[in-house]
Structures are given as C-alpha cells and as structure tokens.
Amino acid sequence: MPQQHHAAGGQDWGAVNAGSGGIRKGGAPKTARQITAAKAAGKIATEKRYGAGGNASAHTGATVMSARKLEEADDVGKIAKVDKSLSKAIQQARMAKKMTQKELATAINEKPTVISEYESGKAVPNPQIISKLERKLGTKLPRQTKSKAPKSGAKATGTGAKKAGATRGGPPKRR
C-alpha cells in the first residue's frame, strides 16, 4: 500500500487574489474629476478623433462638400447642377409609378433629401445615383453631355497623325 502523508506543512491555506477585482494600485481614473486631475498632472493625454463614430451614407459627405462648393463658387467656374430635363423626368417617372419621394429614396438606399434635391435641380449630378434611379423607375433618364472643347495643338488628321513605333492607345512597340 502507498503511504499517505498527513503532514500539515505541505498545504498552503492562505488567501490568494486571482482576479482583477480587489486591490487597485494606481489604476486608470474612473470619475471625471479624477480624469481632469490626471490630465492636469500630465499623467494621461487625450487625442481628438476626427470622423470617428460616423455611419453616414456613402453620398452624404459628397453632398455636404458639393453644397459648400456651390456656395463658394464664383462665376469663373460654375459647378454643374442637375438639368431641368432630368429633374422633370425623375419627377414624372416617380409620379407614374405612384411613389413618394421617401418611397423612392428608400428603394434606392438614399435619403429623401437626395431625391428632393434632384427633383428641384439643386443637386450635383452623380452617375451612380442616376443609374439607381433609372433601374428603379424603369426608364432611361436624360444624361448631361460633357462639352469637350477641342485642344488647340492636337489635331488628328488620318495618316499624318501616326508616329513611327507608336501604337494607338498604348506604349511604344518593343523591337
């Protein structure tokens, strides 16, 4: 038979702190008063996070920036707004589907203000939103045509415009 030891000196029955509760030695400040005191003493530093905690729409920031650009714009370079034909077409197609601005906005995952801006002609045109509207309304909406002025020095006239060793639309050929 194995021998059993009944010695009292082999076991430690003292109290053991095995958790985070209980004794605090200079931990983080809990109250606002402790935080301000720690800031004043220089023990802690805080940082300001810009844009943290924002869960805005993908186009919300663009509209805010566009609105600011519209207000700051001079006569020199005008920012393109939605054309009257586009705003009328959106409004007529929405009315034909018997939808409100709010219903249309939720159907294309945008805010109702976006639809009202497009219908009033105040919005800056966004091709993604216009294509969403086209899909939901089931109609082709008029797009704004970009007027491209011809460049002064670049005239392409048939065979005279080709350069030796250059391919059209790419890098020069290797030999």
Side-chain angles (χ1 to χ4, degrees), residues 53-150:
N55 189 13
S57 170
H59 308 290
T60 304
T63 23
V64 171
M65 288 299 292
S66 299
R68 185 182 307 156
K69 285 181 185 177
L70 282 173
E71 289 180 12
E72 293 174 355
D74 296 337
D75 291 339
V76 177
K78 291 192 175 184
I79 296 174
K81 288 190 204 175
V82 173
D83 197 25
K84 285 288 181 187
S85 61
L86 176 63
S87 61
K88 286 239 186 216
I90 292 171
Q91 194 171 16
Q92 288 173 352
R94 179 180 59 80
M95 297 291 242
K97 291 268 187 177
K98 297 179 182 174
M99 296 176 81
T100 63
Q101 288 182 348
K102 186 176 181 180
E103 290 170 346
L104 180 59
T106 54
I108 66 166
N109 292 333
E110 291 295 334
K111 293 183 179 180
T113 55
V114 173
I115 303 299
S116 65
E117 285 175 355
Y118 270 85
E119 288 186 0
S120 64
K122 294 179 182 176
V124 177
N126 185 343
Q128 289 178 327
I129 295 177
I130 294 172
S131 63
K132 283 184 194 178
L133 287 167
E134 285 177 341
R135 260 183 269 130
K136 190 61 191 173
L137 296 172
T139 182
K140 187 76 175 157
L141 296 173
R143 303 276 181 137
Q144 287 183 337
T145 57
K146 294 180 182 177
S147 59
K148 292 184 179 177

